[in-house]
Amino acid sequence: MNKKSDLRRFLRNVYGYSFFNKLILLTPVYAVFMQENGLTDMQLSLMFVVLSAGTFLTQIPVTWITNKLGVKPAILLGQLLKAIAFVLWLVWPTFWGFAIGMFLWGMEWAFFNVSFESMVYDELRARHHQKIYSKVLGVRYNVQAAGTALSAFGSLLMFAGYGWITFASLISLALSAICIMRIKIKSHPNTKRRVRKTHFMKLFKTGVRICAKTPCILLMLIISLLVANVAYLDDYLSPIGLEIGLPVEFVGMMQFFILGCAVLGQTFAYRFSRVRDWILYSLICAGGAAFVLFSLFYSLSGLLALGLAYVLFSGLNVLLYSRFQDFVPTTYRSVILSLYSIGDNIIYIGTCLVIGLGGMLGSWRYSICALGLILIGVGLWSLLFVRDKCAVTPAIGARAVKTTHPAGKA
């Protein structure tokens, strides 16, 4: 009973952090705010490139800091950097002010990708509940989506001023930090001490070798990264909403609808954790086709196609990322997740450039069409060349997988 209570307390704090970290009333309005302060479509895309660059360029030192300080202090440090970014936008609303703030926010992403993701899986494993990870991941994504959906109402508060919206967002960040401070860490204290004494670059190179020698780590990493980033339009929903005819006060409603679709996919994703690989890859193609369909209609009624794409991709993100985590050795999880984060930002930078080029052509619809065609290509590549190389078998610890090639050992 105590073990169950401990698990419930842990999950409550995980979900609490996930909710308040996404309950940011700035979410639906900061892109519009930036453009109102002189940013062009391409400059807006450059802001998201800077966001990813902040994660990419600081990934190695962030991973080193995480191994030195531990996951909780690292997550809290990330939250502080995010708060500074929001304040900077308010007091210095210029191109460079926005850029520096985005870079700091990118550093927070680096801490989140390594520290929080590693903590959730390893703490479940320490409590002998790693088998429910895919379900926890789906619930966590839903909680995050709920926080972001409520953030959509931030656009309705524009009458109060950007300063009050920023202040409310900072309160939410403080609540998320409280949830992290309440978590009790139980996972592998001995492993953490050994990692601290290891030369970091040697550890990092070992992570690279593990990915290279274990086919399913590499394949699931690539597919998961491509699907998660190429299908990610969240940062552009407000400008897209304005372009298809929504008033600025209601651009948050588009985000609310899209996130509702994401919740639908995430809620039931875990029920398909044993589905055949070819079905997942076919659904990637279907989601890409829905992107193309939305770009052709590009209207409020066309949002149904975009909503369908988000249902598919939100569910696929849960399933693909969960399968990727199953292959990762616990000792090197933070390092391999660091590699994942680096790849995540490289692909996201490419996605932002594609979207920015579409904006330069005169409409975001061209960008969405291009992304849809890329996603169809990813699905076809997976069907033809990956196939069933990483088929799932009944769970047997952290390595609950079956491969057609021998997996390398840590």
Side-chain angles (χ1 to χ4, degrees):
M1 185 66 183
N2 289 333
K3 290 183 178 180
K4 291 183 179 179
S5 298
D6 177 69
L7 177 65
R8 285 196 292 267
R9 284 195 298 271
F10 170 70
L11 291 179
R12 279 199 297 268
N13 286 310
V14 166
Y15 297 149
Y17 165 80
S18 300
F19 176 78
F20 288 114
N21 190 46
K22 290 293 184 178
L23 184 59
I24 307 297
L25 294 177
L26 287 171
T27 302
V29 298
Y30 73 86
V32 175
F33 178 75
M34 289 178 179
Q35 291 201 301
E36 286 181 351
N37 281 273
L39 266 61
T40 65
D41 288 349
M42 191 61 190
Q43 286 177 326
L44 180 62
S45 284
L46 287 176
M47 289 299 108
F48 298 124
V49 171
V50 170
L51 179 70
S52 286
T55 306
F56 174 78
L57 296 176
T58 62
Q59 194 64 65
I60 292 178
V62 159
T63 307
W64 183 84
I65 291 171
T66 299
N67 286 331
K68 281 289 185 181
L69 299 181
V71 290
K72 284 177 59 175
I75 297 170
L76 293 173
L77 179 57
Q79 294 302 90
L80 176 61
L81 294 174
K82 190 174 181 178
I84 293 173
F86 291 167
V87 173
L88 187 61
W89 293 346
L90 179 64
V91 300
W92 191 21
T94 65
F95 177 88
W96 290 109
F98 293 139
I100 295 172
M102 279 293 196
F103 190 87
L104 294 176
W105 195 358
M107 291 181 66
E108 184 270 335
W109 274 22
F111 279 110
F112 176 88
N113 290 338
V114 174
S115 307
F116 185 70
E117 297 291 359
S118 179
M119 180 191 69
V120 173
Y121 191 96
D122 286 339
E123 287 300 308
L124 286 174
R125 183 172 172 79
R127 291 165 170 79
H128 307 291
H129 284 284
Q130 70 269 18
K131 63 182 179 295
I132 67 169
Y133 176 72
S134 61
K135 183 175 182 179
V136 170
L137 191 63
V139 173
R140 200 192 89 205
Y141 284 173
N142 280 346
V143 170
Q144 290 175 177
T148 307
L150 291 175
S151 298
F153 294 102
S155 63
L156 298 177
L157 300 177
M158 286 293 284
F159 71 91
Y162 192 76
W164 284 104
I165 298 176
T166 301
F167 178 71
S169 300
L170 294 175
I171 291 176
S172 188
L173 286 180
L175 292 173
S176 72
I178 291 173
C179 292
I180 290 298
M181 289 187 287
R182 288 169 54 87
I183 291 177
K184 294 182 179 180
I185 300 297
K186 292 189 173 185
S187 58
H188 307 294
N190 293 331
T191 298
K192 186 171 72 173
R193 284 196 293 269
R194 183 170 66 251
V195 170
R196 288 183 181 184
K197 294 178 181 180
T198 302
H199 189 280
F200 180 77
M201 287 309 298
K202 291 182 179 179
L203 188 68
F204 196 81
K205 290 176 182 177
T206 300
V208 174
R209 288 198 300 270
I210 291 171
C211 290
K213 294 180 179 180
T214 309
C216 285
I217 290 181
L218 185 59
L219 290 172
M220 296 311 299
L221 181 147
I222 292 172
I223 298 172
S224 180
L225 285 175
L226 288 171
V227 170
N229 287 280
V230 180
Y232 188 81
L233 287 176
D234 298 42
D235 294 326
Y236 295 88
L237 289 177
S238 295
I240 291 172
L242 290 176
E243 199 169 69
I244 63 176
L246 283 173
V248 65
E249 294 83 2
F250 297 105
V251 292
M253 296 302 101
M254 178 174 175
Q255 189 173 54
F256 189 87
F257 167 72
I258 292 300
L259 287 171
C261 295
V263 167
L264 182 61
Q266 291 159 185
T267 299
F268 299 102
Y270 77 96
R271 296 179 180 270
F272 302 93
S273 59
R274 297 290 179 242
V275 75
R276 297 289 295 275
D277 290 4
W278 70 267
I279 297 177
L280 296 182
Y281 305 149
S282 298
L283 290 176
I284 296 174
C285 295
F291 262 52
V292 174
L293 189 62
F294 172 65
S295 71
L296 295 176
F297 286 95
Y298 207 59
S299 62
L300 290 176
S301 60
L303 284 176
L304 294 175
L306 187 60
L308 173 61
Y310 262 76
V311 170
L312 294 175
F313 286 125
S314 60
L316 286 168
N317 284 337
V318 172
L319 297 174
L320 293 171
Y321 190 75
S322 178
R323 292 188 181 191
F324 163 72
Q325 284 274 37
D326 283 337
F327 288 97
V328 178
T330 299
T331 303
Y332 296 97
R333 189 173 305 280
S334 65
V335 177
I336 293 178
L337 287 179
S338 178
L339 293 175
Y340 184 97
S341 182
I342 290 173
D344 184 64
N345 286 277
I346 291 174
I347 297 175
Y348 182 67
I349 287 172
T351 301
C352 290
L353 293 176
V354 170
I355 296 175
L357 290 173
M360 290 178 64
L361 293 175
S363 174
W364 301 112
R365 70 189 304 172
Y366 303 124
S367 308
I368 297 169
C369 183
L371 296 179
L373 293 175
I374 293 172
L375 287 164
I376 292 172
V378 171
L380 292 175
W381 171 77
S382 302
L383 283 168
L384 294 174
F385 299 104
V386 180
R387 294 176 291 186
D388 60 349
K389 292 181 180 179
C390 302
V392 179
T393 62
I396 47 173
R399 302 297 296 273
V401 292
K402 173 185 176 183
T403 67
T404 56
H405 301 286
K409 293 184 178 181

